[in-house]
Amino acid sequence: MSFSIITDSSCDLSLQQAKNLGIAMVQLSVEVNGATYANDQLDYPVFYQWMRDGASAKTFAANPEQWAAEMKKVLDQGKDVLVLAFSSGLSNTCQAANIAAEELRADYPECRIVVMDTLCASLGEGMIVYFCAKMCQQGKSLDEVIAYAEKNLPKLAHWFTVDDLVYLKRGGRISATTAVVGSLLNIKPVMHVDDAGKLVSVSKARGRKASIEAMIASMKRSAINPSEQEVFISHGDCLKDAEYLAQRVKEEFSVKAVHIGYVGAVIGAHSGPGTLALFFYGTER
């Protein structure tokens, strides 16, 4: 039986990319300046300018009804469903997908509904979705794609840095004192998403270029056959920094390709303008 992939907008693939890959995306949403928007309704440069101007944003997970609506579109065609969901360590979105799947299994007993918690965020999630969707387009079976995801998700390294500590302070990830002192000293935290799918601080760098070099050093330590990889980079409205990071990755590792995209509004609401992230397959997360 054929199958289709459904993911959510926290994968930070564009709507055009999703269309090209033949996947559906359930939208998380953001409340900013008194209005609520689906993730794909926002113009990201405008959103990040709102944040620079002092706006605060509140985010909302996808709910079971949203997931069920997309699943039914696939199930009504007699096809199986593979859901690749935003990390349960950062959102209730995956839990909502599981609730929807459990309710629908009784109505569609002939179809398989598989929900995978990617434990990934931003283009880390997008990266696994991208490769799984490519396999689907190549005619691979659902079991083959699941096996690929299970094998590679523990190797999907996420490395992040942010430009302004105030947004991590708002989210409760650092104290007010740490934010003030860090800003005064031009400290840029270097973070990663761990095996539990949670964002954790690993080290600190003085200045932007130092934080970028720290990410390069992390890739150097753990990347698996980097010259054979397609690497993903996401950014919070700092394209020049993303392009510089891409240049450094190409110089150091001669990778096959680098894909650059925006950090969407849902994740950007917590990390802020100037967020920069690097994703690749490594010996560990």
Side-chain angles (χ1 to χ4, degrees):
M1 183 181 291
S2 61
F3 71 99
S4 290
I5 292 173
I6 305 174
T7 188
D8 55 74
S9 61
S10 290
C11 73
D12 286 343
L13 295 171
S14 69
L15 290 177
Q16 187 59 53
Q17 286 174 310
K19 181 179 179 180
N20 292 344
L21 291 167
I23 61 174
M25 283 199 303
V26 171
Q27 295 293 315
L28 282 74
S29 55
V30 180
E31 181 184 299
V32 60
N33 291 333
T36 300
Y37 304 86
N39 192 66
D40 70 344
Q41 291 179 313
L42 283 161
D43 180 279
Y44 293 151
V46 171
F47 170 75
Y48 282 112
Q49 189 57 52
W50 286 344
M51 295 196 76
R52 291 186 182 103
D53 292 340
S56 59
K58 182 179 180 181
T59 60
F60 302 91
N63 60 49
E65 291 75 21
Q66 289 174 280
W67 282 111
E70 291 298 334
M71 291 177 189
K72 285 179 181 178
K73 293 177 186 178
V74 176
L75 297 168
D76 285 341
Q77 299 174 52
K79 297 167 67 175
D80 293 335
V81 172
L82 173 60
V83 170
L84 297 169
F86 185 25
S87 173
S88 62
L90 297 169
S91 171
N92 291 326
T93 293
C94 185
Q95 180 184 4
N98 275 307
I99 291 170
E102 189 60 33
E103 291 176 351
L104 288 172
R105 285 187 181 110
D107 296 330
Y108 297 88
E110 72 285 359
C111 296
R112 293 172 66 189
I113 307 173
V114 180
V115 178
M116 297 191 72
D117 181 357
T118 67
L119 300 173
C120 294
S122 189
L123 280 180
E125 181 185 353
M127 180 172 162
I128 198 70
V129 170
Y130 174 88
F131 288 121
C132 287
K134 288 289 188 182
M135 292 179 69
C136 180
Q137 290 179 328
Q138 292 163 6
K140 301 297 184 183
S141 70
L142 175 57
D143 285 330
E144 285 175 310
V145 175
I146 290 171
Y148 172 85
E150 289 177 339
K151 177 182 177 182
N152 288 287
L153 281 171
K155 304 174 185 176
L156 213 168
H158 298 52
W159 289 94
F160 288 80
T161 188
V162 300
D163 195 44
D164 192 334
L165 296 169
V166 67
Y167 302 101
L168 294 179
K169 178 184 75 67
R170 285 181 186 173
R173 296 197 177 275
I174 61 173
S175 68
T177 301
T178 299
V180 170
V181 173
S183 295
L184 287 172
L185 297 177
N186 197 26
I187 296 296
K188 309 298 182 186
V190 179
M191 300 165 287
H192 82 120
V193 172
D194 66 11
D195 291 336
K198 296 182 178 181
L199 187 62
V200 295
S201 181
V202 175
S203 63
K204 298 178 178 68
R206 289 288 293 272
R208 185 64 153 184
K209 285 198 174 180
S211 65
I212 289 174
E213 290 306 316
M215 290 195 286
I216 292 293
S218 296
M219 187 171 177
K220 193 173 293 187
R221 282 196 302 271
S222 68
I224 300 169
N225 300 323
S227 63
E228 299 175 12
Q229 289 204 41
E230 294 182 49
V231 170
F232 286 66
I233 292 171
S234 60
H235 68 95
D237 200 34
C238 54
L239 180 58
K240 287 185 178 180
D241 287 345
E243 290 174 337
Y244 174 74
L245 175 57
Q247 175 190 330
R248 291 289 295 115
V249 167
K250 292 173 184 176
E251 289 171 352
E252 290 287 341
F253 307 106
S254 300
V255 296
K256 288 171 62 176
V258 178
H259 303 271
I260 298 176
Y262 266 91
V263 175
V266 169
I267 293 174
H270 300 282
S271 59
T275 300
L276 188 62
L278 172 64
F279 309 95
F280 58 90
Y281 284 136
T283 54
E284 59 184 5
R285 283 206 164 191

